[in-house]
Amino acid sequence: MDKPLVSLPARVIDGVLAVGCGAATTPFAAAGLIYGYFRWHPPLWFWLPAVVVVAAAAWFRRDHPWLFAGVALAGWVALSGIFAVVLAQYTVAERTRSWRLTAVSTLGTLIVVGLPIWRLGGWDASLPQGIAVCVAPALLGLYVGTRRELISEMRERVEQAEEERDLRVRQARSDERAQIARDMHDVVTHRVSLMVLHATALEATNGRDATEVAGRIGTIGRAALDELRSVVSVLRASSAAPLAPQPGLADLVDLVDQTRALGVPVVLEVDTGAPAPALVQHAVYRVVQEALTNVRKHAGNPETQVRVLRETGLLRLTVLNRAGVASERGDGLPGGGHGLLGIAERIRLVGGELTAEHTFDGGFLVEAVVPLAGEPGR
């Protein structure tokens, strides 16, 4: 993990502290000279390099706190430089943020600093100075370091929470776009297919029953526009118009009647008992809609059976058509190949499974099984 960069103001403070530690270590400024280990006035060749070493260690104290602590104690023993010891205690506690390491450092520093003071002034002098030089800076360093770490963790958690929120929003938008795409596919494919089939039927009859067929086309077109308007309205954030209820199991009768009007013999059987959840009903409706559209497009007008039955803890849908021959009218209908994928995704989103396969006699079977929440499974 890369170390955080130190800001310019912090480096300025480090420079001031380094100069202060060096200046306080000189024999002319050492306040504790009379309490030092050696009662001497060191020569220039000795104390000047020592001052430079203490100041350099203070400058690099953020990256090497323990080295600075050792140099500060050596400066105290040799030249009675007390300020560097105070800063070293604070730095070790603030950088490590460990009570155990801070306690070890404080105990060792108390012994080294307090011994000459106790020898010359007794407990009355060594105890308060030991607290002021060793204990108080360590406690302050622990407080500052722990507080900084806590603020950093809180900031990271806030940033992580914002990233997760943005990810959820993006995922929700992606899911919504996929849902809109599936709805538009279902509406356009089914309604437009019906319109094309009625138009080709009208053409084949050479104008007979033109009024009736044209009326059916108009009704289908208006229904398609209404459904598209309902789907597209969710894209308009400023739209205050209420959305129309989504079709469910009760609308299967009308759906089957529309398919029968095209000449496809469809048998509908619905036995669900108590009402199923709205999302499940809508998903089942879309599966039946896509399956019947595919029957008319790819198999012509074979006998087809639609069954929606409630079993123990689940709802089972089957759409089975016998073998048929696609009519010339149906062959002209385009297909994108995404219909079965779309309804399979719909069923998966409500916790179910969908299978679609050819039967041994040349027919086609679409089966969906959806668990019903709150009911015991089989």
Side-chain angles (χ1 to χ4, degrees):
M1 181 178 178
D2 296 337
K3 295 181 179 179
L5 297 178
V6 181
S7 61
L8 180 60
R11 279 306 182 189
V12 172
I13 294 175
D14 288 346
V16 173
L17 292 176
V19 173
C21 289
T25 308
T26 62
F28 308 103
L33 182 60
I34 61 173
Y35 299 116
Y37 282 84
F38 308 104
R39 295 187 178 184
W40 68 325
H41 290 277
L44 180 64
W45 62 265
F46 179 85
W47 64 262
L48 186 57
V51 168
V52 173
V53 171
V54 173
W59 172 259
F60 294 104
R61 65 187 181 89
R62 296 180 184 272
D63 297 327
H64 306 284
W66 292 103
L67 176 62
F68 176 47
V71 172
L73 286 179
W76 160 255
V77 172
L79 298 173
S80 300
I82 198 67
F83 180 70
V85 176
V86 174
L87 183 60
Q89 279 294 99
Y90 170 85
T91 302
V92 168
E94 186 263 339
R95 303 305 290 180
T96 60
R97 297 183 297 275
S98 170
W99 285 95
R100 293 182 179 180
L101 295 177
T102 302
V104 172
S105 173
T106 301
L107 180 60
T109 306
L110 274 173
I111 295 174
V112 175
V113 173
L115 183 60
I117 302 176
W118 170 77
R119 186 179 58 190
L120 296 176
W123 288 108
D124 294 341
S126 62
L127 183 60
Q129 291 198 36
I131 293 176
V133 173
C134 304
V135 179
L139 293 177
L140 179 61
L142 278 176
Y143 168 76
V144 173
T146 304
R147 182 175 180 272
R148 181 182 295 117
E149 183 181 25
L150 179 61
I151 293 175
S152 177
E153 290 179 356
M154 292 178 62
R155 184 180 295 109
E156 290 179 358
R157 291 180 181 179
V158 170
E159 293 175 353
Q160 183 178 5
E162 291 178 350
E163 292 178 357
E164 292 177 352
R165 181 200 61 190
D166 294 341
L167 180 61
R168 289 194 297 269
V169 170
R170 290 194 296 269
Q171 183 63 41
R173 290 175 178 174
S174 177
D175 293 342
E176 185 64 24
R177 286 194 295 269
Q179 179 67 28
I180 292 172
R182 286 190 293 268
D183 285 337
M184 295 189 69
H185 172 273
D186 293 339
V187 171
V188 172
T189 300
H190 180 71
R191 300 293 183 183
V192 174
S193 296
L194 292 178
M195 294 172 66
V196 172
L197 290 171
H198 276 84
T200 53
L202 179 62
E203 181 182 4
T205 58
N206 295 322
R208 294 191 302 272
D209 301 326
T211 302
E212 180 182 356
V213 176
R216 292 178 183 175
I217 294 176
T219 301
I220 295 171
R222 285 189 292 271
L225 289 176
D226 290 339
E227 290 193 45
L228 285 175
R229 188 179 297 110
S230 176
V231 172
V232 173
S233 62
V234 302
L235 298 175
R236 301 174 180 174
S238 59
S239 177
L243 300 179
Q246 296 295 321
L249 297 181
D251 300 291
L252 289 179
V253 176
D254 293 336
L255 181 63
V256 169
D257 288 341
Q258 295 172 9
T259 305
R260 288 170 179 165
L262 294 173
V264 180
V266 181
V267 177
L268 175 64
E269 180 181 355
V270 179
D271 183 12
T272 60
L279 290 177
V280 173
Q281 292 193 43
H282 181 59
V284 170
Y285 177 89
R286 292 302 187 190
V287 172
V288 176
Q289 184 183 59
E290 179 66 23
L292 293 180
T293 300
N294 289 338
V295 169
R296 192 66 186 90
K297 287 170 59 177
H298 304 299
N301 55 354
E303 181 180 346
T304 304
Q305 184 181 46
V306 178
R307 302 180 63 188
V308 183
L309 303 178
R310 181 188 290 263
E311 299 180 1
T312 304
L314 55 86
L315 193 69
R316 184 182 299 274
L317 162 69
T318 57
V319 181
L320 174 63
N321 65 273
R322 301 187 182 279
V325 178
S327 65
E328 294 181 358
R329 296 180 307 231
D331 291 340
L333 294 176
H338 303 292
L340 291 178
L341 294 178
I343 59 176
E345 179 66 12
R346 284 185 181 277
I347 295 299
R348 187 190 66 80
L349 291 176
V350 293
E353 296 181 358
L354 182 138
T355 57
E357 58 187 4
H358 290 279
T359 60
F360 67 94
D361 59 353
F364 199 81
L365 171 66
V366 176
E367 183 176 30
V369 178
V370 183
L372 298 177
E375 295 190 7
R378 300 188 70 175

